[in-house]
Amino acid sequence: MQQPANANFVANTYSRFPLTFEKGQGARLWDKEGREYIDFTSGIAVCNLGHCHPQVVQAIKKQAETLIHTSNLYWIEEQLRLAKRLAEHSFADQAFFCNSGAESVEAAIKLARKRGHELRGPNCYDIVCLEGAFHGRTLAAITATGQPQYQRGFEPLVPGFTHIPPNDIYAAELAIGRRTAAVIVEPIQGEGGVRPLSDDFLSALRTFCDKQNAILIFDEVQVGMGRTGSLFAYEQTPVVPDVICLAKALGNGVPIGAMLAKQEVMKHFGPGSHASTFGGNPLSCAAANAVLDVMLASDFFEHVKAMADYLRAGLEKFSANRPGKVAEIRGRGLIQAVEFVEPLPDLALKFMEKGFLVLLGHEKILRLLPPLIISQEEIKAFLEALEELA
Ligand SMILES: *Cc1c(COP(=O)(O)O)cnc(C)c1O
């Protein structure tokens, strides 16, 4: 496939589609030749409000003309406002700001260990994680990530991590003990193939964590910020975690991450214990505040739920019409997956040629993450393409 000019100057860490976009609006993107695409990836769960949402654009413009960066040695108005609003709309009391998902996971792991050491001594450091998880690409995050393909070649990994199979309550009971500082899970495993954890398993994790005085961390980097039909994914589960990690859609494309916790937990991060130069800077917080302005408007989640029901019904119908072809339809809200029985390695490319962007994992899991503002017509067009291509 043809490479663009200057491709050799960029590290070769991605296998990329032969495509360069020039502009975006709502659920649509246009390439340099003016071809239009409907985006069922949202830039991997980032542009939940669609591309170039006018309120986000306006907020960034205004902030860029006023103040872009100071440092966290000074108070930042937009950061204070964002922290307060995140607290008001979640179980949490306080926020630590960073720039990415991996950094928010890293912050949560460090907080859990600091708390473990301070409350229960130096042997309380273990982080219990799930097989098939994805938590990002820093060394601690790939260690927490329960998939060898992200770890191979980077050993030695960070010590003090234990992996158990998802939805295995007995394994969780055995693994969570006196040395456990935290359990970290994605309420729905995203990268791993859109695998929701069962309510029973989450409730059991909550019970075991409480019994051992360990904290329960939800990595909502992919499924937070409205994706499942409520602002946070934990709201649709029977449990309340102690910490949540956010990033991806928090700034709708402007890099920002956040780790939210109750004050009782966050108090273990004192002055000097953790930091980030860019974390919570005025520009990224202005973008995130604009995202909240849109999502907290009264009818926003009505639309998400209606579109989710429409998409899900369409996928179920597709599956029912093709006995033996589809192994499972999974997901919640506007994170949905179709797992095919047989690999369809060219499916994403075929969709691209028809003007749709999709994610395909393990060659047979079609992961759908449309912008939450997508229209019924756009979903209908996608379902018609699916009928044709798969
Ligand atoms: C994408 C993702 C991350 C990593 O986020 P980055 O911003 O790429 O560091 C962490 N956890 C989950 C669940 C993710 O989906």
Side-chain angles (χ1 to χ4, degrees):
M1 265 171 219
Q2 219 199 315
Q3 298 251 314
N6 301 333
N8 290 339
F9 291 100
V10 176
N12 193 24
T13 55
Y14 284 91
S15 30
R16 296 176 211 260
F17 288 98
L19 201 50
T20 310
F21 294 110
E22 206 158 61
K23 63 175 185 170
Q25 192 67 63
R28 298 180 190 230
L29 285 163
W30 288 268
D31 70 12
K32 294 188 16 165
E33 284 74 47
R35 273 206 70 190
E36 186 177 294
Y37 298 82
I38 302 183
D39 186 1
F40 272 72
T41 74
S42 303
I44 317 193
V46 169
C47 299
N48 280 11
L49 299 183
H51 297 280
C52 298
H53 189 283
Q55 276 170 263
V56 178
V57 170
Q58 187 52 36
I60 298 169
K61 271 189 181 167
K62 189 164 156 248
Q63 191 60 49
E65 285 169 350
T66 315
L67 182 66
I68 296 177
H69 179 84
T70 55
S71 80
N72 281 299
L73 299 178
Y74 311 98
W75 294 104
I76 296 169
E77 196 83 56
E78 287 289 329
Q79 185 189 115
L80 294 168
R81 182 160 166 260
L82 178 60
K84 175 167 181 275
R85 297 173 86 194
L86 290 170
E88 277 171 358
H89 293 279
S90 72
F91 68 88
D93 301 315
Q94 295 183 325
F96 171 83
F97 291 105
C98 51
N99 313 290
S100 67
E103 284 182 34
S104 70
V105 166
E106 193 81 32
I109 291 169
K110 284 182 70 177
L111 177 63
R113 285 198 169 169
K114 191 99 187 343
R115 176 183 175 277
H117 290 176
E118 286 176 5
L119 289 184
R120 290 180 298 154
N123 288 328
C124 178
Y125 54 74
D126 197 52
I127 311 292
V128 174
C129 325
L130 299 186
E131 290 165 8
F134 183 83
H135 297 295
R137 301 295 198 120
T138 63
L139 263 183
I142 61 166
T143 307
T145 289
Q147 304 186 58
Q149 87 236 35
Y150 297 114
Q151 302 171 330
R152 224 169 284 132
F154 298 112
E155 300 87 352
L157 299 174
V158 180
F161 286 75
T162 302
H163 286 88
I164 60 169
N167 295 328
D168 186 336
I169 294 177
Y170 184 60
E173 185 166 22
L174 288 181
I176 301 168
R178 280 180 303 124
R179 289 168 182 264
T180 307
V183 176
I184 181 166
V185 302
E186 300 152 88
I188 301 170
Q189 292 189 333
E191 220 73 19
V194 188
R195 299 177 197 281
L197 299 182
S198 74
D199 284 355
D200 286 351
F201 182 66
L202 290 173
S203 300
L205 291 181
R206 182 71 275 174
T207 305
F208 301 147
C209 283
D210 289 344
K211 202 164 124 198
Q212 300 293 344
N213 197 12
I215 60 172
L216 181 58
I217 302 166
F218 274 15
D219 178 349
E220 295 209 12
V221 169
Q222 184 152 159
V223 295
M225 301 314 292
R227 180 56 59 188
T228 64
S230 52
L231 189 58
F232 302 113
Y234 80 84
E235 296 172 61
Q236 309 214 13
T237 74
V239 308
V240 177
D242 300 296
V243 169
I244 54 177
C245 300
L246 300 174
K248 290 199 166 104
L250 181 55
N252 209 59
V254 179
I256 179 169
M259 187 268 289
L260 311 185
K262 281 254 171 236
Q263 197 270 338
E264 260 312 289
V265 174
M266 197 74 96
K267 72 178 183 196
H268 295 279
F269 261 179
S273 56
H274 195 45
S276 168
T277 296
F278 291 128
N281 92 359
L283 189 74
S284 61
C285 288
N289 273 314
V291 168
L292 287 183
D293 288 342
V294 177
M295 290 192 180
L296 298 175
S298 59
D299 52 355
F300 184 79
F301 288 108
E302 299 304 311
H303 177 76
V304 180
K305 283 174 197 146
M307 292 307 104
D309 289 348
Y310 183 75
L311 174 61
R312 179 70 184 227
L315 297 177
E316 302 277 3
K317 191 166 150 234
F318 165 78
S319 168
N321 288 342
R322 283 173 171 63
K325 176 105 186 168
V326 174
E328 199 178 15
I329 311 278
R330 296 188 290 266
R332 192 175 293 153
L334 282 175
I335 175 166
Q336 294 286 340
V338 181
E339 177 161 354
F340 293 98
V341 173
E342 298 293 336
L344 294 167
D346 297 332
L347 189 60
L349 209 58
K350 285 187 184 160
F351 265 111
M352 195 186 86
E353 282 159 6
K354 272 203 140 331
F356 296 89
L357 305 178
V358 297
L359 298 163
L360 189 71
H362 310 271
E363 298 201 331
K364 57 181 187 178
I365 302 174
L366 185 65
R367 179 163 46 123
L368 304 172
L369 296 159
L372 308 182
I373 50 82
I374 197 160
S375 69
Q376 185 160 316
E377 292 67 44
E378 286 162 333
I379 296 175
K380 185 160 177 274
F382 164 80
L383 290 168
E384 283 165 9
L386 178 66
E387 288 284 341
E388 242 176 85
L389 296 177

